[in-house]
Amino acid sequence: DPFVEFRHVSLAYTDAQARAGEYAVEDISLAIGAGEFVAIVGPSGCGKSTFMKLTTGLKAATRGSVRVDGQPVTGPLKIAGMAFQAPNLLPWRTTLDNILLPLEIVQSYRSSFRARRAEYAERARRLLASVGLSGYEDKFPWELSGGMQQRASLCRALIHEPRMLMLDEPFGALDAFTREELWCALRDLWSAQRFNVVLVTHDLREAVFLADTVYVMSARPGRILSRREIGLPRP
Ligand code: ADP
Ligand code: ADP
């Protein structure tokens, strides 16, 4: 069974800025297998972020259905870890404490975070080591380069061992060298743990380097183009 399944999904925004009667994404049908690494490429504004919001339950479909792990998505999914173009680390927290933040928030309701902090810190250290950031645990975000902050945000997205990692242009702001280093770090993490990855990017080279499956979206309204439409032969 697919892990993520879109059936004829369309979404029209309804706020003041929305264009009346226009879908942001239209008639998207696809299935993503468990542990699969998928990339969605397309020009800016084509609906990539909207696709992400639909997959994680931050937005509800106007038409069609979204299912994850066999269940209809009805609200924000806790099984997803997310990272975005900006690392968004909290400046008054160390790298380690930034990475632990999602666990701290979720677990403080059960007040078990403090009891398990040492175990979680060890998990965070392993993640930091896997992206080449050993020794930076106690540094503050402003002591790290942009690429290092982005590595830390990747660790934060993975700290609660999500089954699904959602990446929205996470390498967009990095220089070419740092970007390729991070690609490799991500590939290694993914090969070791086989969580699901959905990466949205406008960088086709990045998509092809990282993903098992690449979907191409058209501009306005965002549709997934068929192989024929992008000039590929049948599989
Ligand atoms: P990015 O992820 O590329 O930094 P966003 O996802 O915030 O940017 O926005 C992508 C596109 O959606 C942009 O063209 C932006 O103007 C538009 N957009 C974002 N939020 C809104 C909104 N609330 N109303 C209308 N358009 C929006
Ligand atoms: P991408 O991530 O590919 O840049 P988005 O999913 O952010 O594209 O946006 C797709 C379309 O939906 C764009 O035309 C954008 O302007 C519009 N849009 C995005 N967010 C909103 C919003 N909150 N309200 C109205 N329109 C939006």
Side-chain angles (χ1 to χ4, degrees):
D1 278 3
F3 186 62
V4 176
E5 189 176 32
F6 274 59
R7 280 198 199 151
H8 301 292
V9 174
S10 302
L11 183 142
Y13 286 101
T14 53
D15 56 28
Q17 293 106 314
R19 277 172 248 251
E22 193 174 276
Y23 287 123
V25 298
E26 187 173 45
D27 198 27
I28 294 186
S29 295
L30 53 79
I32 303 175
E36 195 179 357
F37 196 139
V38 165
I40 315 268
V41 293
S44 185
C46 73
K48 301 186 297 296
S49 301
T50 303
F51 175 85
M52 209 66 129
K53 289 173 194 163
L54 285 161
T55 310
T56 50
L58 302 179
K59 284 280 176 192
T62 310
R63 316 180 61 148
S65 73
V66 179
R67 296 171 79 86
V68 172
D69 203 12
Q71 302 294 318
V73 174
T74 55
L77 290 183
K78 292 205 183 96
I79 57 166
M82 297 189 217
F84 306 93
Q85 181 160 0
N88 296 324
L89 303 176
L90 298 176
W92 62 88
R93 283 186 160 231
T94 63
T95 303
L96 187 75
D97 284 332
N98 264 290
I99 293 170
L100 294 178
L101 190 64
L103 289 172
E104 201 174 325
I105 290 170
V106 172
Q107 308 238 333
S108 61
Y109 302 117
R110 289 178 264 147
S111 70
S112 58
F113 177 76
R114 214 179 309 221
R116 299 182 65 182
R117 191 179 184 289
E119 173 197 335
Y120 293 147
E122 187 47 41
R123 193 191 290 171
R125 285 199 181 86
R126 279 199 303 274
L127 280 170
L128 279 166
S130 69
V131 298
L133 273 187
S134 286
Y136 289 88
E137 289 80 359
D138 299 327
K139 301 278 189 211
F140 287 90
W142 37 270
E143 298 178 280
L144 304 180
S145 71
M148 290 165 147
Q149 291 181 36
Q150 198 55 280
R151 285 161 208 252
S153 87
L154 202 57
C155 296
R156 180 183 54 193
L158 290 169
I159 192 68
H160 67 301
E161 300 181 328
R163 295 183 58 191
M164 182 153 79
L165 179 63
M166 309 298 290
L167 302 174
D168 193 345
E169 297 274 2
F171 312 113
L174 305 175
D175 65 84
F177 181 74
T178 310
R179 187 182 309 143
E180 299 201 4
E181 270 189 345
L182 256 188
W183 289 355
C184 296
L186 175 61
R187 273 304 291 205
D188 289 349
L189 278 167
W190 175 75
S191 333
Q193 296 176 34
R194 292 291 160 160
F195 38 81
N196 222 259
V197 188
V198 178
L199 166 73
V200 307
T201 176
H202 53 246
D203 183 347
L204 184 57
R205 210 166 66 86
E206 173 173 300
V208 169
F209 181 84
L210 284 170
D212 300 319
T213 308
V214 178
Y215 293 104
V216 181
M217 275 181 94
S218 64
R220 194 167 296 142
R223 286 188 309 113
I224 301 281
L225 296 175
S226 66
R227 294 178 67 90
R228 187 175 52 76
E229 284 172 301
I230 53 177
L232 291 174
R234 286 174 187 285

